Every structure is written in structure tokens, then in C-alpha cells.
Amino acid sequence: MPDWTYHPVAPLASRVLGRRRTRLWALRFLAVLVSGFGGSRWIPVVFDHPAVPPQWRGRFGATVPLAVARDAIAVLPVQGATVIEVCPVALGDLGALASATAARRCAVVARVPADAPPELLTGVAPLVDRVIVGTDPGVRYLVQQDVAAAVTALAEPGTVVLARPSVLLDAGPAWFNRVIEAATRRRPRSGSPRCRRIRSAGRAGPGPARGRDPDRGGPRRGGDRPRAGPAGVRPGLPRRRHRRTARTEPEPGRVPAARPD
């Protein structure tokens, strides 16, 4: 969902349906588009989503509660997330976690309490890609929609950057794309074909003025000044065709009349 749709529609829908219900229905609607109508293929193309940098794979995503994990795991990878953390996970949540991660298209991490029983760790491990017990110092949680702060945090090698739900609710689903665009925006290299075209266009300067010959600096043919015609013909008027009279030969035996002096 682009920003020009999310931000104007969200306040209006919240007044009619309520804030929480609007958010849940919007997430469910996007999940239906992605899962049921092939949105994972055409949404990035239609909305021109930038490609995720390879060094961000498995390090850039969001943390969500288990109640919306199924829809978030379906929607957020299409928006640019490469890892989703589900927390908290208890022993009675194994069935819901298995249903949410069955058709995942990105890495899923489950965070369990530090005093989690061994049965919970054994049941969660096959359902996700990684299990975090307690806290992990290598994970940084963002609580503000600051694009520059997210890019700076991702520049640290090995750091996993996850956005809190409040960030996505305030900034909209396109927040991932804005972060990726801010990090991948680069000027063309000095030797690239695009840079050479830009330089050549700058040296050429603007085109010739109207009515001027670009080669001689004089009036251009077909410009504002009319083309000069032959003697006796006014410029700008069509040239008159002169009719030639046929020359007759004298009949045999007849002397032509003398021309008076």
C-alpha cells in the first residue's frame, strides 16, 4: 500500500471502524492480495519497489506479536522486510506459530523468555529459522520512523535492525522502501555510460536559436527570414512561371519579311 493511499485513508477509516479494527483489516486485506491473488509477484512491479541490498538479507525487518504474525509474515516481505521476529512465544502458542510460519518467504525469528522451559525450545526450533532466548545484543529495535537512523544502524556489520509495530503503524508499510531507497541512492560512476552522456550533454549546451543557422551563425533556411528569390520576384511570393512561345520555321519557298531597322 503506497503512502499516498495509506495516509489519507487511514484516519477516515479509523473514525468509522475504529483504529484497531482498521489496522487489522488493512493488514488482512494486504495478506489476501499477497497470498490469494499473486501479489508477491505484481505488487513490487506495479509500485516499483527497490531491490533489497544483498548485505541486508536477514538483517532488516520488524518485530510483531503472534496475533498478527501470519498476516505480517505474508505482507512485510513484499514491502522489503527480510526477517520478522515473533514475540513473545509461550508453550501454548506452538500451533498458532506453526500456522503463521508454514508459508513464509523470509527468515522468521521467535523470541522466548529467558526462563523458557526446555519443552518450549524443543517445540519452537523446528518452526522458525532462529530462536532468541531473552535478549540479543546484536538486535537493535527502532521506535521512531527515522530513515537515516535505520540506514546508519544497518551500516554496522552483523547488526539486525527491527522496527517496532508503532513505527510501521505511523509511517505506513512503505517505510521499508524509503529506507532501501535512501541507502541505495548513488551518483553514477565517472566512467559509466550514463555519466558520459550527462557530460557530453553539458558540453554541447543548449540548441540553436530559432531562425539561426547552427553552422554559419546566419539566418537558417526555412527560419523566420523568408528565402531570397530571383530578380524581379518579391520575397515570400510564389515564383511565376513564364510561358515560352514556340518558334516557327518559315515555309519552304517563302522569304521571311525584313525586319525594320
Side-chain angles (χ1 to χ4, degrees), residues 5-247:
T5 303
Y6 178 82
H7 291 289
V9 173
L12 300 177
S14 299
R15 295 176 185 177
V16 178
L17 303 175
R19 179 175 299 181
R20 177 176 174 79
R21 185 178 299 175
T22 300
R23 293 171 175 175
L24 294 177
W25 284 12
L27 186 61
R28 177 59 57 86
F29 174 73
L30 292 178
V32 171
L33 288 181
V34 172
S35 302
F37 295 91
S40 59
R41 296 187 300 272
W42 58 265
I43 288 179
V45 177
V46 172
F47 295 103
D48 193 19
H49 290 179
V52 182
Q55 63 273 19
W56 288 11
R57 295 287 178 181
R59 299 178 48 228
F60 183 43
T63 176
V64 297
L66 183 61
V68 296
R70 182 174 182 176
D71 295 336
I73 292 173
V75 172
L76 297 184
V78 180
Q79 301 294 335
T82 61
V83 58
I84 296 177
E85 180 191 79
V86 181
C87 69
V89 178
L91 189 59
D93 300 330
L94 297 181
L97 183 63
S99 176
T101 60
R104 63 182 181 272
R105 285 185 291 268
C106 68
V108 177
V109 178
R111 184 156 58 89
V112 299
D115 56 348
E119 296 83 3
L120 178 59
L121 300 177
T122 305
V124 171
L127 304 178
V128 295
D129 299 282
R130 181 187 173 192
V131 179
I132 298 178
V133 180
T135 59
D136 187 352
V139 179
R140 181 173 178 179
Y141 298 95
L142 300 179
V143 296
Q144 296 180 354
Q145 51 176 331
D146 190 354
V147 174
V151 175
T152 303
L154 288 165
E156 302 177 4
T159 302
V160 179
V161 179
L162 301 178
R164 294 286 188 183
S166 58
V167 175
L168 301 180
L169 293 175
D170 296 337
W175 179 80
F176 293 102
N177 297 324
R178 292 197 295 270
V179 175
I180 298 173
E181 289 175 352
T184 57
R185 188 181 301 135
R186 294 290 184 270
R187 298 184 62 181
R189 301 189 305 272
S190 58
S192 62
R194 178 167 173 244
C195 187
R196 288 197 296 267
R197 289 196 300 269
I198 294 175
R199 289 183 178 179
S200 61
R203 288 195 298 266
R210 178 177 176 85
R212 308 295 295 178
D213 192 349
D215 297 330
R216 302 180 180 179
R220 184 177 60 183
R221 295 183 178 179
D224 296 335
R225 182 179 297 182
R227 184 186 302 177
V233 180
R234 295 178 57 185
L237 296 179
R239 186 176 180 180
R240 180 180 298 177
R241 296 183 178 181
H242 299 279
R243 181 179 298 177
R244 275 185 192 177
T245 58
R247 186 176 180 179

